[in-house]
């Protein structure tokens, strides 16, 4: 039994409710990619939407349950904040996003353009500032990526879509706060129990992998990786508990392997993922993962311009 607080019926309903702009993203086998990785890979490209990532699925589902005029308050390094801004604007809500000073200028600009009011916070008190703001405003609600089951259930619609491609031996997914992998895994463990669920962390930010192995949330003083989307240093206990039930294996990749995976995606697929969005490809290239058919997700295409020269130069 894979008992968690993630509800299969809500995932199924989400596949019908969520803004269609986020649903049924392209998924296919690319022969050049397979040759580069030396195995059969089904890739799902989750960048061709207004956010360039999967985050809109879960946030749209959550936003539908909030009363008009509610202000959604969150912390983010980019993609979740974009999703909150987008969903809030379209659902008659407000969006207050608290970010650490110095985050990607690309993501900062996009958050604002999508309707979020962005608060840059110096130092390490981003979470505290966001929670204090929500507590001080009666019309505000704090939403946390990885905590609220609706966010993971919305991401679970990716699992619904992946199985339309046929049998999959393993699904390899980047692990940030855990909403993506737990939502997808909840659906697959019920409808394709033989499929192995593999999570990927950056070597410089191993807290989610460590927490999964130890069975409890274990933080680190800092996260040292250029993959912002998976740079987690303070795991959410509820998300770790779900992962312990649903995830079969956790692996780590270094920044150099992620950068090479970004190049591979560019050359074979014509897609330029941000570092976290290429972590699944990096893991497939770097680790001996089981199965004849392996699936992964490319999610996140908000790449800082400073990285682009390194992508087109020789490794």
């Amino acid at each position: 039994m894979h008992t968690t607080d993630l509800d299969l019926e809500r995932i199924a309903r989400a596949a019908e409710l969520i803004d269609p702009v986020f649903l049924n993203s392209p998924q296919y086998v690319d022969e050049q990619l397979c040759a580069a990785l030396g195995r059969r890979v089904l890739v799902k490209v989750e960048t061709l939407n207004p956010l360039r990532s999967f985050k809109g699925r879960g946030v749209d589902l959550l936003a539908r349950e909030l009363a008009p005029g509610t202000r959604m308050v969150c912390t983010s390094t980019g993609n979740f904040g974009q999703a909150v801004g987008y969903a809030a604007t379209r659902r008659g809500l407000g969006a207050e996003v608290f970010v650490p000073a110095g985050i990607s200028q690309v993501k900062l600009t996009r958050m604002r353009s999508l309707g979020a009011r962005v608060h840059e916070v110096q130092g390490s008190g981003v979470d505290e500032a966001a929670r204090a703001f929500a507590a001080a405003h009666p019309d505000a609600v704090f939403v946390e990526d990885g905590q609220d089951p609706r966010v993971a259930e919305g991401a679970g619609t990716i699992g619904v879509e992946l199985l339309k491609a046929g049998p999959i031996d393993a699904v390899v997914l980047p692990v940030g706060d855990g909403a993506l992998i737990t939502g997808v895994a909840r659906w697959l463990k019920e409808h394709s129990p033989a499929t192995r669920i593999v999570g990927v962390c950056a070597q410089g930010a191993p807290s989610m992998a460590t927490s999964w192995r130890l069975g409890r949330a274990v933080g680190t003083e800092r996260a040292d990786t250029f993959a912002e989307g998976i740079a987690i240093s303070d795991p959410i206990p509820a998300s770790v508990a779900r992962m312990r039930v649903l995830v079969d294996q956790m692996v780590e990749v270094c920044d150099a392997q992620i950068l090479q995976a970004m190049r591979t995606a560019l050359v074979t697929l014509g897609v330029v993922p941000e570092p976290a969005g290429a972590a699944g490809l990096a893991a497939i290239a770097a680790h001996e993962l089981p199965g004849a058919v392996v699936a992964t997700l490319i999610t996140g295409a908000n790449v800082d311009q400073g990285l682009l020269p390194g992508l087109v130069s020789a490794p």
Side-chain angles (χ1 to χ4, degrees):
M1 292 290 292
H2 302 282
T3 303
T4 75
D5 60 344
L6 304 183
D7 187 272
L8 289 166
E9 290 187 7
R10 287 199 298 259
I11 294 174
R13 287 200 300 272
E16 301 174 355
L17 288 175
I18 289 173
D19 188 333
V21 74
F22 299 118
L23 295 174
N24 297 306
S25 53
Q27 55 187 46
Y28 52 92
V29 173
D30 180 89
E31 297 302 335
Q32 279 191 298
L33 179 65
C34 293
L37 297 176
R39 63 184 309 161
R40 201 74 174 164
V41 177
L42 172 72
V43 63
K44 188 170 185 61
V45 182
E46 197 77 3
T47 64
L48 303 177
N49 62 58
L51 309 179
R52 304 179 185 171
S53 81
F54 77 94
K55 296 286 188 179
R57 294 177 184 248
V59 177
D60 182 73
L61 187 65
L62 174 61
R64 289 171 178 272
E65 299 187 359
L66 301 177
T70 300
R71 279 193 279 182
M72 301 174 74
V73 182
C74 73
T75 64
S76 178
T77 56
N79 290 339
F80 188 69
Q82 288 183 62
V84 169
Y86 182 91
T89 299
R90 280 149 187 79
R91 303 285 170 207
L93 310 172
E96 308 281 347
V97 182
F98 286 73
V99 305
I103 68 162
S104 161
Q105 190 62 44
V106 171
K107 293 180 180 179
L108 191 64
T109 300
R110 287 185 59 78
M111 278 189 279
R112 288 174 171 148
S113 70
L114 290 166
R117 182 182 175 211
V118 180
H119 308 256
E120 293 187 76
V121 180
Q122 299 288 339
S124 59
V126 179
D127 188 73
E128 292 82 356
R131 291 179 185 274
F133 182 95
H137 295 82
D139 63 339
V141 58
F142 183 74
V143 296
E144 190 169 14
D145 193 5
Q147 174 67 41
D148 194 296
R150 298 301 187 277
V151 178
E153 288 160 357
T157 56
I158 290 170
V160 178
E161 294 168 16
L162 281 172
L163 288 185
K164 295 177 182 178
I168 300 169
D169 297 307
V171 174
V172 185
L173 297 171
V175 177
D177 283 310
L180 171 62
I181 196 167
T182 54
V184 173
R186 180 69 179 98
W187 186 264
L188 293 181
K189 288 299 181 183
E190 180 69 21
H191 297 280
S192 182
T195 300
R196 189 168 182 83
I197 308 298
V198 181
V200 187
C201 291
Q203 284 182 0
S207 64
M208 289 298 276
T210 301
S211 299
W212 175 82
R213 294 183 185 113
L214 296 178
R216 57 185 174 83
V218 179
T220 56
E221 186 174 339
R222 60 192 295 265
D224 185 14
T225 175
F226 76 148
E228 287 182 334
I230 54 175
I232 304 300
S233 59
D234 189 17
I236 297 169
S239 188
V240 172
R242 294 173 192 139
M243 286 176 57
R244 285 283 294 179
V245 173
L246 297 167
V247 176
D248 299 302
Q249 183 179 356
M250 293 286 288
V251 299
E252 296 172 20
V253 290
C254 68
D255 283 2
Q257 290 166 330
I258 293 174
L259 184 60
Q260 181 56 47
M262 294 169 68
R263 292 191 187 104
T264 299
L266 174 59
V267 171
T268 63
L269 304 175
V271 175
V272 184
E274 63 189 75
L281 288 179
I284 293 170
H287 295 274
E288 293 292 332
L289 301 177
V293 179
V294 178
T296 193
L297 197 69
I298 293 181
T299 177
N302 299 299
V303 185
D304 274 331
Q305 291 185 0
L307 281 176
L308 295 178
L311 289 181
V312 297
S313 64

